[in-house]
Amino acid sequence: MEYTQLGRTGLSVGRIVLGTMNFGPRTDENDSHAIMDAALDAGVNLFDTANVYGEATDRGRTEKIIGSWFAKGGGRRDKVVLATKVFGAMAPGAEAEWPNRSRLSALNIRRSVDESLRRLQTNHIDVYQFHHVDRSTPWEEIWQAMDVLVQQGKILYVGSSNHAGWHIAQANETARRLGTYGLVSEQCLYNLAERRAEMEVIPAARAYGLGVIPWGPLGGGLLGGVIRRAQETGRSADALANSALRDKVQAYEDVVDKYGLAPGEVALAWLLAQPGITGPIIGPRTAGQLESALRAVDLELPEGLLASLEEIFPGPGPAPEAFAW
């Protein structure tokens, strides 16, 4: 495993991030534990989750599964850089039934971190992330709540997810004014087929020293060999009903085949080659999927392949030139 620093921090994290959203809804507890053991054995040390992950009727189930894995001991918790998130309501209709059970008020942050710590069976969270932007809570309040948690030893760093570039700027300029550390990471949707983050989010993150952690690196399966699998199984690729998108994905699979490579591994390797990227989040349902993702770390894409990928999935261009002229 290769390691890099998380943004401007001194924290070393692996270049593949283990996403746990499938733990509970799609992968049972025993298999989830096996995947986490395999990831740790392979050197993956950044595990990402969220307080709302789990079944619709049992949000928080994923954190509980991670907590039961930590409870097995063997240095598991000490070896993991643990990241979780706060924002969403923890039960269907909870926000409508009673106020202050979601978003980023100081009250909900305080309550949510304690509930996550109990489920995770740990005394601290390494990277506590805002799952979404809270437009109704001032950053001054949010940072005051975060600083209290840092002082209490309940969290170490603060990250964001699904924030626009100007949100990152607003958050960190407020932090600077208050004399606090600010955001150290941003999780955003970013992959070969969805590159809008290149216009403002990633430049803002790099300017403020945030590590960028892409989610959805395979585009919901589009970049994982979806056409090939459909042909092999005899099933239709419903996600490719759009003919223009299908043509792009077909061209992608064809050029990857030309180089004798696996589509999913190429998609991850492409992300790893982009400036400012800490590491993509992978969400394996099986140990085999984990092994495939790990191979991407050592995959150096040929220049010819990189040029072809740029032709198939061109980026939006820099801001403001891409939309100003």
Side-chain angles (χ1 to χ4, degrees):
M1 175 58 60
E2 292 182 7
Y3 295 91
T4 188
Q5 289 179 221
L6 181 62
R8 66 186 184 280
T9 76
L11 187 66
S12 294
V13 295
R15 300 220 62 204
I16 290 291
V17 179
L18 181 66
T20 62
M21 190 167 63
N22 288 320
F23 295 176
R26 305 183 71 176
T27 307
D28 66 25
E29 184 166 343
N30 288 335
D31 288 343
S32 298
H33 285 192
I35 289 172
M36 287 186 281
D37 280 335
L40 205 60
D41 287 344
V44 176
N45 71 333
L46 179 52
F47 288 19
D48 177 73
T49 190
N51 60 347
V52 295
Y53 290 171
E55 293 86 350
T57 57
D58 187 14
R59 292 179 182 174
R61 173 63 177 154
T62 303
E63 286 189 334
K64 293 175 186 175
I65 289 174
I66 297 170
S68 64
W69 181 72
F70 284 151
K72 290 182 174 181
R76 286 174 171 84
R77 177 63 187 96
D78 291 339
K79 295 175 182 177
V80 168
V81 175
L82 176 63
T84 192
K85 308 184 192 76
V86 58
F87 182 85
M90 290 301 295
E95 185 175 3
E97 292 170 9
W98 198 256
N100 303 312
R101 294 295 299 181
S102 66
R103 301 182 181 273
L104 300 178
S105 69
L107 177 58
N108 188 56
I109 287 172
R110 176 182 176 179
R111 176 187 294 122
S112 296
V113 74
D114 286 339
E115 291 174 351
S116 284
L117 289 171
R118 283 193 292 270
R119 286 188 293 267
L120 290 163
Q121 300 191 48
T122 186
N123 63 3
H124 77 282
I125 293 160
D126 298 303
V127 187
Y128 201 41
Q129 304 161 113
F130 309 132
H131 212 161
H132 203 277
V133 178
D134 186 349
R135 297 178 175 89
S136 61
T137 304
W139 279 108
E140 288 83 357
E141 176 181 348
I142 293 170
W143 285 126
Q144 182 184 53
M146 292 296 110
D147 284 347
V148 169
L149 297 183
V150 171
Q151 291 162 8
Q152 292 174 334
K154 293 180 178 179
I155 69 171
L156 299 181
Y157 302 96
V158 181
S160 59
S161 180
N162 304 310
H163 282 43
W166 76 272
H167 293 132
I168 292 170
Q170 188 179 45
N172 272 23
E173 287 300 329
T174 304
R176 179 180 296 170
R177 188 175 71 250
L178 297 173
T180 192
Y181 200 52
L183 300 173
V184 303
S185 62
E186 160 63 15
Q187 286 190 22
C188 59
L189 175 60
Y190 183 41
N191 57 60
L192 260 172
E194 176 49 82
R195 296 177 59 177
R196 284 178 292 178
E198 293 177 5
M199 189 170 289
E200 302 235 15
V201 175
I202 294 175
R206 294 183 66 191
Y208 283 99
L210 278 65
V212 177
I213 304 172
W215 63 266
L218 300 186
L222 288 177
L223 303 172
V226 62
I227 294 177
R228 180 190 301 173
R229 287 199 306 274
Q231 293 170 342
E232 292 173 350
T233 61
R235 299 177 181 176
S236 61
D238 295 335
L240 295 174
N242 181 313
S243 59
L245 179 59
R246 184 183 182 89
D247 289 345
K248 285 179 175 289
V249 174
Q250 183 66 71
Y252 171 69
E253 293 191 17
D254 288 345
V255 73
V256 169
D257 282 343
K258 176 183 174 182
Y259 284 88
L261 299 172
E265 294 171 22
V266 169
L268 294 174
W270 180 84
L271 280 171
L272 289 167
Q274 303 310 302
I277 300 303
T278 299
I281 299 174
I282 60 161
R285 297 190 302 276
T286 66
Q289 291 177 344
L290 172 63
E291 292 173 4
S292 176
L294 292 172
R295 287 195 289 271
V297 176
D298 298 319
L299 182 58
E300 186 171 344
L301 301 181
E303 290 297 326
L305 176 54
L306 288 170
S308 295
L309 297 178
E310 191 68 29
E311 290 179 5
I312 298 168
F313 297 114
E321 290 83 358
F323 55 79
W325 298 325

